[in-house]
Amino acid sequence: MRILITGVDGYLGWPLAIHLAARGHEVAGIDNYARRGWVGEMGSQSAIPIAPMAARLHAYREHLGQNLRFYKGDLADYNFVLNAYRSFRPEAIVYLGEMPSAPYSMLDVHTALYTQQNNVLGTLVTLHAMRDAVPDAHLVKLGTMGEYGTPGVDIPEGWFELDYRGRKERMLFPRRAGSWYHQSKVHDSHNVEMACRLWGLRSTDIMQGVVYGTAIDEIEGRPELATRFDFDQAFGTAINRFCAQAVIGLPLTPYGKGQQRRGFLALRDSIQCLTLATESPPESSDYRVFNQFEEVYSVMELAERVQRIGNESGLDVKIHPVENPRTEAEVHYYNPDHQQLLDLGYEPTHDMDAELRKVFRDLLPHRDRIEERKESQFPDIRWDGSRRPSELLGR
Amino acid sequence: MRILITGVDGYLGWPLAIHLAARGHEVAGIDNYARRGWVGEMGSQSAIPIAPMAARLHAYREHLGQNLRFYKGDLADYNFVLNAYRSFRPEAIVYLGEMPSAPYSMLDVHTALYTQQNNVLGTLVTLHAMRDAVPDAHLVKLGTMGEYGTPGVDIPEGWFELDYRGRKERMLFPRRAGSWYHQSKVHDSHNVEMACRLWGLRSTDIMQGVVYGTAIDEIEGRPELATRFDFDQAFGTAINRFCAQAVIGLPLTPYGKGQQRRGFLALRDSIQCLTLATESPPESSDYRVFNQFEEVYSVMELAERVQRIGNESGLDVKIHPVENPRTEAEVHYYNPDHQQLLDLGYEPTHDMDAELRKVFRDLLPHRDRIEERKESQFPDIRWDGSRRPSELLGR
């Protein structure tokens, strides 16, 4: 298949391109290096060094024996996107090109506006360019489990049958997001669903859990193919940030009670699932939603697991919960479905310990890069718009 | 109360300012005259002449004995909006300042992007400026009944109790909008609900039906206080467009079967309801949703009513359905609740015939202004992105 990945320079986009090429697909990518810029704005950098795009493309060709067709530009620019589609004629578009951080979106009015503008308009341009150039292509759109929030009821995969006052209708399940970033994904979901309904496009919307890890088979042992690894307060997600903290001897800092429950999955599982979704397109007009994660854990369970694996590696890992900078429920019901990817053949890794050992293996040589930017991992972006470092809490 | 109206130069904003001032409130307004521009883009103009803002403000002062504090600027400009709030210190903000046309939003990729950018970012700026300057103010936000679409189940007022797999939760009722414009209002609703939940703001979100008419008591007999009246395919809504067609001897053109059912209300009822909502603010953190319309009618019923009243006025009114340029259900279940405004004291006009007679009375002197722009009322904006005039259908 001809598959175009937006955000191909990112944490998921780069390994996905490699994995799809290794499976024999022809891959193109779009990026404007915005992720490198956002992390720089947070005073941080990728813990694992990543090459500039020209060097990445060279390494890709060396290892995979084909070119990655790379288009540099802004996804909110209709003419640029239309040109890329007309030139590459993708059969699938994996849309990862969004600003992915809740804290960054809550920083101030400017980052809030930027987040919704970048994400919502980029997707809207994509829908129009698909309609105009590749109406039969499959849009694999990256959403987030955070679209649902944490309601006190089970969470189906996107749709449900509403039984209301004696009548029934298949409806989108109500969303209740908790940041401007998460809301931007809710808006995307509504826009994409409408484009499928009115224009006959086809899409899989991926409600993804929190991804952790450094490894997919095609990357291991090839540092020139490595993907980025962030640990700052905005772009470093829970498990990854814990691992980076452990590596430089900082305590792991779950927020508040640490009883927040979320779906998590390893990087290799994310890549596996995105591949499964891409290789099994839905029918025209179908807006399909997958909840994509391996298992639900509490943040504290994960901190304890990172502690155990870190201690095995000879580190002395402490856990010090800090004041929660977010406004969120810390103790809540959480029971989301996740069946459809299993039905497509998803084989979950299950061995989180092995994945964490690989993270430590890959991070330890870059201890200095984390140490040099360690201030960036202390949370101080508050959901109320203020900027105030979180205090340590008693455990 | 000190009440700030965004979109004060518009069809609803201007009479609302007058009505609130007549009730003794202190009123401010924001506008950038965008509505005049959009209608110009469609090759049209207001059938009823409206004065430039400077003359409007002069007439306002003459008739109401107070100034309208007018701020000219863009609602997506945070510093401008913050300055207006800090200077006027509104207790309520009635947010009418959005691009309100479904066909305009479906015209092409550029108007689609503009619509979501203008509407979503303007509201997002407002939420931030409220948080930063007037956190206790009440946001009366204009949404649309079109956010819900036409599901095969009853439509509650915004919220419902979801009973799902044996557990219950109060949730936003699922939205299913049918244009990029309507989706922009869905996005707004999600953003506003989150700001109430996280920041303790208070808001009433008005899911309004289709408004028709020219009259509120304070305007009648005072042409210098008149509000605009649009009849083009994008900004002229069903009943108003029918009246304009009748006045110049064109057939009334319901779309398709004309069996689409919608909630409608007279301009004076819209102003009455917005006033009631504004004068009865909800508690802090409360996101309240009102469905605002007087009664549900089919489009064909309304065409026939306009025909009858037009014929009474000595016109010879024909009805010729045309091919539906929209992608929408033409025959559908429709049963939305609308109780909360009645509970607040809303007294519906009920006398649609009298309102329509006033429309004819106000339009007949401006027959030439409609005749000169009559091409603008023929629909040719297709929901599939093409531009093709709708053919006449047999009745």
XYZ file of all heavy atoms in Angstrom, chain B residues 307-391:
718
model
N -47.148 31.996 1.893
C -47.962 32.153 0.684
C -49.327 32.775 1.035
O -49.770 33.731 0.418
C -48.169 30.784 0.039
C -49.040 30.806 -1.218
C -49.202 29.397 -1.801
O -49.412 28.430 -1.063
N -49.100 29.301 -3.124
N -49.973 32.236 2.071
C -51.303 32.713 2.452
C -51.257 34.182 2.890
O -52.045 35.006 2.427
C -51.862 31.827 3.579
C -53.228 32.257 4.095
C -53.884 31.173 4.949
N -53.058 30.708 6.062
C -52.863 31.394 7.194
N -53.422 32.585 7.366
N -52.101 30.882 8.156
N -50.278 34.512 3.731
C -50.201 35.893 4.213
C -49.804 36.832 3.074
O -50.312 37.955 2.958
C -49.193 36.015 5.380
C -49.556 35.036 6.514
C -49.131 37.448 5.907
C -50.862 35.316 7.205
N -48.912 36.378 2.197
C -48.520 37.191 1.047
C -49.717 37.457 0.137
O -49.924 38.600 -0.313
N -50.507 36.429 -0.102
C -51.680 36.615 -0.967
C -52.674 37.597 -0.345
O -53.273 38.408 -1.047
C -52.343 35.264 -1.253
C -51.517 34.443 -2.247
O -50.639 34.981 -2.929
N -51.789 33.152 -2.316
N -52.827 37.515 0.972
C -53.661 38.511 1.683
C -53.183 39.939 1.405
O -53.978 40.869 1.359
C -53.534 38.317 3.198
C -54.419 37.281 3.808
C -54.141 37.207 5.324
O -53.605 38.186 5.895
O -54.455 36.162 5.910
N -51.859 40.094 1.267
C -51.285 41.430 1.038
C -51.351 41.822 -0.435
O -50.718 42.799 -0.842
C -49.814 41.470 1.479
O -49.641 40.890 2.741
N -52.087 41.035 -1.241
C -52.270 41.413 -2.636
C -51.199 40.874 -3.567
O -51.145 41.227 -4.747
N -50.292 40.022 -3.040
C -49.271 39.408 -3.900
C -49.843 38.125 -4.486
O -50.861 37.600 -4.022
C -48.013 39.100 -3.074
C -47.356 40.317 -2.417
C -46.363 39.882 -1.335
C -46.656 41.177 -3.468
N -49.165 37.605 -5.517
C -49.587 36.326 -6.096
C -48.439 35.347 -5.878
O -47.506 35.270 -6.679
C -49.880 36.521 -7.591
C -50.245 35.199 -8.261
O -50.667 34.250 -7.539
O -50.068 35.101 -9.488
N -48.496 34.632 -4.758
C -47.336 33.860 -4.307
C -47.446 32.404 -4.739
O -48.439 31.740 -4.480
C -47.196 33.942 -2.767
C -45.945 33.206 -2.308
C -47.175 35.393 -2.305
N -46.405 31.923 -5.412
C -46.327 30.519 -5.826
C -45.281 29.799 -4.963
O -44.372 30.415 -4.411
C -45.868 30.428 -7.283
C -46.765 31.131 -8.287
C -47.874 30.196 -8.741
C -48.641 30.770 -9.947
N -49.390 32.022 -9.577
N -45.403 28.469 -4.906
C -44.375 27.646 -4.241
C -43.802 26.679 -5.265
O -44.553 25.944 -5.906
C -44.976 26.860 -3.052
C -45.512 27.838 -1.985
C -43.942 25.914 -2.457
C -46.189 27.153 -0.803
N -42.514 26.719 -5.471
C -41.834 25.761 -6.356
C -40.653 25.144 -5.623
O -39.592 25.743 -5.556
C -41.304 26.456 -7.618
C -42.319 26.625 -8.686
N -42.169 27.504 -9.745
C -43.525 26.034 -8.869
C -43.231 27.437 -10.519
N -44.074 26.562 -10.013
N -40.841 23.945 -5.095
C -39.695 23.291 -4.449
C -38.534 23.151 -5.433
O -38.754 22.964 -6.630
C -40.230 21.914 -4.059
C -41.711 22.043 -4.077
C -42.044 23.092 -5.083
N -37.333 23.268 -4.906
C -36.138 23.055 -5.722
C -35.319 21.918 -5.123
O -35.440 21.599 -3.934
C -35.267 24.331 -5.826
C -36.017 25.443 -6.528
C -34.756 24.777 -4.460
N -34.510 21.347 -5.971
C -33.542 20.324 -5.587
C -32.802 20.779 -4.324
O -32.370 21.933 -4.257
C -32.544 20.265 -6.752
C -31.847 18.994 -7.021
C -30.798 19.272 -8.123
O -30.991 20.233 -8.921
O -29.798 18.562 -8.151
N -32.664 19.900 -3.370
C -32.022 20.273 -2.097
C -30.507 20.354 -2.275
O -29.871 19.354 -2.583
C -32.379 19.235 -1.030
C -32.040 19.723 0.369
O -31.269 20.679 0.535
N -32.628 19.085 1.373
N -29.929 21.538 -2.096
C -28.470 21.637 -2.259
C -27.715 21.054 -1.070
O -26.509 20.870 -1.139
C -28.241 23.147 -2.349
C -29.348 23.743 -1.539
C -30.535 22.820 -1.723
N -28.427 20.774 0.010
C -27.795 20.239 1.211
C -27.863 18.724 1.228
O -28.765 18.132 0.630
C -28.507 20.762 2.469
C -28.607 22.254 2.522
C -29.237 22.716 3.829
N -29.220 24.176 3.890
C -29.215 24.884 5.019
N -29.239 24.271 6.185
N -29.178 26.197 4.993
N -26.965 18.104 1.943
C -27.086 16.685 2.243
C -27.713 16.603 3.623
O -27.076 16.931 4.625
C -25.704 16.014 2.230
O -25.108 16.243 0.953
C -25.813 14.528 2.484
N -28.988 16.237 3.678
C -29.683 16.177 4.962
C -30.876 15.245 4.832
O -31.353 15.000 3.720
C -30.162 17.584 5.396
C -31.190 18.191 4.470
C -31.646 19.598 4.878
O -31.116 20.154 5.848
O -32.559 20.129 4.207
N -31.355 14.741 5.962
C -32.558 13.922 5.964
C -33.747 14.832 5.682
O -33.904 15.879 6.325
C -32.719 13.226 7.309
N -34.568 14.461 4.706
C -35.726 15.300 4.386
C -36.991 14.821 5.092
O -37.962 15.559 5.193
C -35.936 15.338 2.866
C -34.800 16.078 2.173
C -35.010 16.236 0.668
O -36.064 15.804 0.152
O -34.110 16.808 0.029
N -36.982 13.568 5.530
C -38.110 13.044 6.299
C -37.501 12.390 7.530
O -36.658 11.498 7.402
C -38.912 12.004 5.485
C -40.073 11.476 6.318
C -39.413 12.616 4.182
N -37.883 12.848 8.702
C -37.171 12.395 9.901
C -37.998 12.649 11.150
O -38.887 13.506 11.172
C -35.832 13.129 10.024
C -35.991 14.632 10.069
N -36.199 15.303 11.249
C -36.023 15.557 9.079
C -36.343 16.595 10.986
N -36.245 16.784 9.684
N -37.674 11.892 12.190
C -38.237 12.098 13.517
C -37.659 13.390 14.094
O -36.497 13.714 13.851
C -37.840 10.913 14.391
C -38.410 10.941 15.790
C -39.739 10.588 16.036
C -37.618 11.320 16.875
C -40.256 10.610 17.323
C -38.136 11.343 18.167
C -39.455 10.991 18.378
O -39.966 11.007 19.652
N -38.457 14.139 14.860
C -37.918 15.357 15.477
C -38.760 15.731 16.677
O -39.919 16.110 16.534
C -37.908 16.504 14.460
C -36.950 17.632 14.840
C -35.609 17.375 15.044
C -37.402 18.936 14.985
C -34.725 18.385 15.385
C -36.528 19.961 15.322
C -35.185 19.673 15.517
O -34.315 20.680 15.847
N -38.173 15.596 17.832
C -38.945 15.893 19.044
C -38.047 16.456 20.141
O -37.748 15.791 21.122
C -39.665 14.620 19.528
C -40.660 14.938 20.627
O -41.239 16.022 20.672
N -40.848 14.001 21.541
N -37.614 17.703 19.979
C -36.741 18.311 20.987
C -37.527 18.914 22.153
O -38.591 19.515 21.965
C -36.019 19.419 20.214
C -36.842 19.684 19.000
C -37.828 18.567 18.814
N -36.988 18.752 23.352
C -37.551 19.428 24.530
C -37.363 20.938 24.401
O -36.409 21.403 23.773
C -36.805 19.005 25.803
C -36.995 17.536 26.140
O -37.821 16.880 25.490
O -36.301 17.065 27.074
N -38.254 21.701 25.043
C -38.015 23.137 25.193
C -38.868 23.647 26.339
O -39.896 24.261 26.153
C -38.269 23.929 23.895
C -39.610 23.711 23.258
N -40.416 24.751 22.862
C -40.286 22.588 22.943
C -41.531 24.278 22.334
N -41.468 22.977 22.364
N -38.409 23.366 27.526
C -39.184 23.665 28.722
C -38.543 24.734 29.600
O -39.242 25.505 30.264
C -39.353 22.366 29.528
C -40.265 22.511 30.742
C -41.670 23.005 30.371
O -42.248 22.538 29.395
N -42.182 23.973 31.134
N -37.216 24.809 29.618
C -36.563 25.635 30.643
C -36.848 27.124 30.486
O -36.992 27.841 31.475
C -35.048 25.403 30.619
C -34.663 24.028 31.135
C -33.154 23.847 31.153
O -32.488 24.216 32.114
N -32.622 23.287 30.095
N -36.922 27.601 29.235
C -37.233 29.026 29.045
C -38.681 29.322 29.442
O -38.960 30.389 30.002
C -36.955 29.438 27.603
C -35.466 29.719 27.328
C -35.150 29.656 25.847
C -35.065 31.082 27.898
N -39.579 28.384 29.175
C -40.959 28.566 29.632
C -40.990 28.665 31.159
O -41.696 29.492 31.735
C -41.838 27.404 29.147
C -41.994 27.287 27.624
C -42.685 25.969 27.241
C -42.777 28.476 27.046
N -40.180 27.836 31.813
C -40.115 27.877 33.284
C -39.591 29.222 33.784
O -39.934 29.662 34.884
C -39.221 26.754 33.823
C -39.820 25.373 33.580
O -41.030 25.294 33.265
O -39.078 24.379 33.694
N -38.730 29.862 32.977
C -38.194 31.178 33.367
C -39.186 32.306 33.064
O -38.926 33.460 33.396
C -36.889 31.469 32.631
C -35.596 30.869 33.158
C -34.412 31.383 32.335
C -35.373 31.210 34.635
N -40.285 31.985 32.374
C -41.293 33.009 32.109
C -41.467 33.386 30.647
O -42.175 34.344 30.331
N -40.845 32.626 29.743
C -40.989 32.913 28.312
C -42.456 32.804 27.891
O -43.102 31.792 28.128
C -40.116 31.931 27.524
C -40.339 31.867 26.032
C -40.602 33.005 25.257
C -40.253 30.636 25.361
C -40.792 32.917 23.884
C -40.428 30.543 23.989
C -40.711 31.688 23.252
O -40.893 31.593 21.891
N -42.973 33.885 27.281
C -44.341 33.855 26.760
C -44.283 33.893 25.241
O -44.125 34.958 24.641
C -45.142 35.048 27.293
C -45.326 34.959 28.795
C -46.082 36.149 29.386
O -46.557 37.004 28.603
O -46.194 36.206 30.617
N -44.425 32.731 24.608
C -44.275 32.683 23.148
C -45.323 33.555 22.462
O -46.453 33.693 22.927
C -44.507 31.211 22.808
C -44.278 30.471 24.084
C -44.696 31.402 25.180
N -44.901 34.146 21.343
C -45.762 35.017 20.560
C -46.983 34.272 20.034
O -48.105 34.767 20.084
C -44.955 35.571 19.367
O -43.836 36.257 19.889
C -45.797 36.493 18.526
N -46.754 33.073 19.504
C -47.793 32.210 18.936
C -48.458 32.802 17.698
O -48.911 32.070 16.837
C -48.882 31.856 19.970
C -48.409 30.844 20.974
N -47.730 29.694 20.614
C -48.497 30.819 22.340
C -47.437 29.010 21.711
N -47.874 29.662 22.774
N -48.520 34.129 17.541
C -49.247 34.688 16.401
C -48.290 34.910 15.233
O -47.892 36.028 14.935
C -49.931 35.997 16.820
C -50.929 36.444 15.767
O -50.969 35.828 14.672
O -51.656 37.417 16.036
N -47.909 33.804 14.583
C -46.984 33.896 13.462
C -47.568 34.732 12.332
O -46.843 35.477 11.659
C -46.626 32.492 12.961
C -45.544 32.506 11.890
S -45.186 30.859 11.231
C -43.947 30.285 12.362
N -48.881 34.643 12.117
C -49.496 35.407 11.021
C -49.259 36.904 11.211
O -48.915 37.622 10.266
C -51.001 35.130 10.946
C -51.298 33.716 10.445
O -50.327 32.962 10.189
O -52.487 33.366 10.320
N -49.437 37.387 12.421
C -49.228 38.817 12.689
C -47.772 39.196 12.431
O -47.485 40.259 11.860
C -49.616 39.143 14.132
N -46.843 38.313 12.829
C -45.417 38.606 12.591
C -45.135 38.668 11.100
O -44.385 39.533 10.637
C -44.528 37.537 13.251
C -44.510 37.569 14.770
C -44.054 38.909 15.353
O -43.051 39.461 14.874
O -44.747 39.414 16.261
N -45.719 37.739 10.358
C -45.464 37.714 8.908
C -46.048 38.962 8.246
O -45.441 39.517 7.320
C -46.051 36.444 8.283
C -45.348 35.140 8.692
C -46.065 33.929 8.089
C -43.884 35.146 8.260
N -47.211 39.424 8.710
C -47.777 40.669 8.145
C -46.827 41.837 8.361
O -46.664 42.693 7.495
C -49.144 40.968 8.785
C -50.243 40.082 8.238
C -51.644 40.427 8.746
N -52.487 39.259 8.496
C -52.877 38.379 9.432
N -52.549 38.566 10.715
N -53.603 37.333 9.091
N -46.188 41.853 9.527
C -45.209 42.927 9.789
C -43.992 42.811 8.877
O -43.444 43.820 8.434
C -44.773 42.902 11.261
C -45.887 43.389 12.177
C -45.491 43.391 13.637
C -46.676 43.890 14.469
N -46.479 43.700 15.912
N -43.585 41.592 8.611
C -42.451 41.419 7.693
C -42.816 41.994 6.328
O -42.044 42.766 5.732
C -42.043 39.936 7.571
C -40.967 39.766 6.492
C -41.539 39.407 8.915
N -43.987 41.636 5.835
C -44.395 42.178 4.522
C -44.488 43.699 4.566
O -44.015 44.388 3.662
C -45.722 41.548 4.066
C -45.534 40.172 3.462
C -45.990 39.035 4.099
C -44.880 40.033 2.250
C -45.799 37.782 3.552
C -44.677 38.774 1.680
C -45.148 37.649 2.342
N -45.077 44.235 5.619
C -45.172 45.692 5.768
C -43.788 46.341 5.693
O -43.591 47.361 5.041
C -45.828 46.010 7.132
C -45.869 47.479 7.496
C -46.071 47.666 9.007
N -44.865 47.257 9.735
C -44.807 47.026 11.048
N -45.893 47.161 11.799
N -43.684 46.661 11.613
N -42.788 45.711 6.351
C -41.447 46.306 6.404
C -40.648 46.071 5.126
O -39.738 46.848 4.813
C -40.666 45.759 7.612
C -41.244 46.246 8.946
O -41.959 47.277 8.943
O -41.002 45.597 9.978
N -40.963 44.982 4.408
C -40.182 44.681 3.192
C -40.715 45.399 1.958
O -39.932 45.767 1.069
C -40.184 43.175 2.905
C -39.333 42.284 3.797
C -39.347 40.856 3.253
C -37.892 42.793 3.901
N -42.039 45.575 1.878
C -42.607 46.109 0.625
C -41.980 47.439 0.200
O -41.693 47.621 -0.990
C -44.139 46.199 0.736
C -44.815 44.827 0.521
C -46.268 44.836 1.000
C -44.743 44.393 -0.953
N -41.681 48.362 1.114
C -41.043 49.615 0.679
C -39.643 49.404 0.106
O -39.109 50.317 -0.526
C -40.956 50.446 1.971
C -41.878 49.801 2.941
C -41.988 48.364 2.558
N -39.050 48.223 0.341
C -37.663 47.988 -0.095
C -37.569 46.910 -1.163
O -36.526 46.305 -1.367
C -36.797 47.619 1.110
C -36.844 48.638 2.193
N -36.403 49.943 2.011
C -37.330 48.588 3.456
C -36.607 50.625 3.131
N -37.179 49.833 4.015
N -38.684 46.724 -1.853
C -38.781 45.787 -2.963
C -37.582 45.922 -3.926
O -37.010 44.927 -4.356
C -40.077 46.154 -3.692
C -40.701 45.118 -4.524
C -41.822 45.783 -5.329
N -43.058 45.906 -4.571
C -44.149 45.134 -4.793
N -44.133 44.224 -5.751
N -45.247 45.320 -4.100
N -37.222 47.174 -4.242
C -36.138 47.388 -5.205
C -34.802 46.852 -4.712
O -33.997 46.365 -5.504
C -35.957 48.891 -5.500
C -37.039 49.407 -6.427
O -37.855 48.579 -6.907
O -37.079 50.628 -6.661
N -34.557 46.971 -3.404
C -33.291 46.488 -2.862
C -33.184 44.964 -2.974
O -32.088 44.422 -3.101
C -33.137 46.890 -1.378
C -32.905 48.378 -1.186
C -32.895 48.747 0.308
N -31.829 48.079 1.056
C -30.612 48.585 1.238
N -30.287 49.756 0.719
N -29.715 47.924 1.943
N -34.325 44.285 -2.889
C -34.318 42.820 -3.049
C -34.185 42.481 -4.535
O -33.360 41.634 -4.921
C -35.611 42.198 -2.467
C -35.777 42.619 -1.005
C -35.585 40.683 -2.608
C -37.125 42.258 -0.399
N -34.957 43.181 -5.351
C -34.924 42.953 -6.805
C -33.493 43.102 -7.340
O -33.028 42.293 -8.148
C -35.866 43.962 -7.479
C -36.064 43.784 -8.980
C -36.913 42.554 -9.330
O -37.979 42.361 -8.693
O -36.482 41.802 -10.218
N -32.788 44.103 -6.860
C -31.436 44.376 -7.365
C -30.427 43.283 -7.008
O -29.351 43.212 -7.601
C -30.918 45.708 -6.776
C -31.551 46.921 -7.422
C -31.397 48.172 -6.552
O -30.647 48.136 -5.550
O -32.047 49.181 -6.879
N -30.731 42.502 -5.993
C -29.796 41.458 -5.561
C -30.453 40.084 -5.625
O -30.039 39.158 -4.917
C -29.339 41.738 -4.122
C -28.756 43.112 -3.915
C -27.456 43.297 -4.696
N -26.877 44.604 -4.406
C -25.752 44.760 -3.695
N -25.103 43.718 -3.260
N -25.284 45.973 -3.460
N -31.492 39.943 -6.467
C -32.303 38.736 -6.375
C -31.544 37.460 -6.733
O -31.889 36.380 -6.268
C -33.574 38.853 -7.212
C -33.379 38.784 -8.715
C -34.738 38.831 -9.413
C -34.533 38.857 -10.921
N -35.801 39.138 -11.616
N -30.503 37.571 -7.565
C -29.745 36.358 -7.932
C -29.147 35.674 -6.694
O -28.883 34.464 -6.721
C -28.624 36.693 -8.917
C -29.083 37.072 -10.316
C -29.621 38.496 -10.416
O -29.510 39.271 -9.424
O -30.183 38.844 -11.470
N -28.927 36.452 -5.645
C -28.254 35.882 -4.470
C -29.119 34.873 -3.722
O -28.605 34.154 -2.855
C -27.840 37.004 -3.513
O -28.967 37.552 -2.867
N -30.434 34.826 -4.039
C -31.265 33.892 -3.275
C -31.382 32.517 -3.930
O -31.911 31.594 -3.324
C -32.642 34.490 -2.954
C -33.452 35.025 -4.108
C -34.240 33.949 -4.809
O -34.769 33.051 -4.192
N -34.299 34.066 -6.138
N -30.910 32.367 -5.180
C -30.964 31.050 -5.828
C -29.877 30.148 -5.268
O -28.698 30.481 -5.329
C -30.779 31.180 -7.348
C -31.858 31.968 -8.021
C -31.587 33.207 -8.598
C -33.158 31.485 -8.076
C -32.586 33.947 -9.215
C -34.164 32.228 -8.694
C -33.874 33.462 -9.264
N -30.242 28.993 -4.708
C -29.213 28.149 -4.087
C -28.331 27.451 -5.115
O -28.831 26.846 -6.057
C -30.028 27.130 -3.287
C -31.353 27.078 -3.969
C -31.596 28.430 -4.562
N -27.045 27.536 -4.939
C -26.117 26.753 -5.766
C -24.919 26.221 -4.976
O -24.048 25.580 -5.538
C -25.643 27.544 -6.994
C -24.729 28.708 -6.643
O -24.560 29.012 -5.444
O -24.184 29.327 -7.580
N -24.862 26.464 -3.657
C -23.768 25.905 -2.836
C -24.166 24.492 -2.432
O -25.119 24.292 -1.678
C -23.526 26.757 -1.579
C -23.137 28.189 -1.966
C -22.440 26.118 -0.702
C -23.056 29.135 -0.786
N -23.435 23.508 -2.964
C -23.731 22.100 -2.700
C -22.916 21.578 -1.531
O -21.761 21.964 -1.371
C -23.385 21.263 -3.943
C -24.201 21.622 -5.154
C -25.627 21.253 -4.899
N -26.490 21.819 -5.927
C -27.382 21.099 -6.577
N -27.499 19.801 -6.334
N -28.174 21.683 -7.451
N -23.484 20.674 -0.796
C -22.811 20.096 0.374
C -21.616 19.218 -0.030
O -20.788 18.877 0.790
C -23.815 19.314 1.214
C -24.223 19.999 2.478
C -24.264 19.413 3.724
C -24.648 21.360 2.683
N -24.679 20.333 4.655
C -24.925 21.527 4.053
C -24.831 22.464 1.843
C -25.357 22.731 4.612
C -25.268 23.664 2.383
C -25.511 23.785 3.746
N -21.556 18.832 -1.334
C -20.413 18.018 -1.786
C -19.262 18.882 -2.283
O -18.280 18.365 -2.805
C -20.848 17.037 -2.879
C -21.319 17.742 -4.143
O -21.234 18.996 -4.221
O -21.779 17.049 -5.071
N -19.385 20.204 -2.125
C -18.293 21.086 -2.508
C -18.418 21.628 -3.922
O -17.640 22.481 -4.329
N -19.395 21.144 -4.673
C -19.559 21.670 -6.035
C -20.425 22.927 -5.979
O -20.980 23.286 -4.940
C -20.180 20.607 -6.941
O -21.508 20.356 -6.552
N -20.543 23.596 -7.107
C -21.347 24.808 -7.208
C -22.253 24.613 -8.406
O -21.799 24.627 -9.553
C -20.394 26.003 -7.439
C -20.950 27.347 -7.058
C -20.947 27.544 -5.558
N -21.720 28.728 -5.184
C -21.178 29.897 -4.849
N -19.882 30.042 -4.820
N -21.959 30.924 -4.526
N -23.547 24.384 -8.153
C -24.450 24.032 -9.243
C -25.861 24.474 -8.853
O -26.341 24.104 -7.781
C -24.415 22.500 -9.432
C -25.072 21.969 -10.676
C -24.551 20.547 -10.996
N -24.495 19.679 -9.829
C -25.548 19.015 -9.331
N -26.739 19.112 -9.885
N -25.400 18.249 -8.263
N -26.506 25.294 -9.683
C -27.840 25.790 -9.316
C -28.823 24.641 -9.126
O -28.802 23.675 -9.882
C -28.253 26.647 -10.519
C -26.986 26.961 -11.244
C -26.070 25.800 -11.001
N -29.666 24.765 -8.110
C -30.684 23.742 -7.868
C -31.774 23.839 -8.928
O -32.283 24.924 -9.209
C -31.314 23.950 -6.483
O -30.409 23.583 -5.476
N -32.155 22.698 -9.490
C -33.251 22.651 -10.474
C -34.593 22.756 -9.759
O -34.743 22.305 -8.626
C -33.232 21.304 -11.210
C -31.912 20.906 -11.816
C -31.684 21.546 -13.171
O -32.676 22.027 -13.772
O -30.513 21.599 -13.609
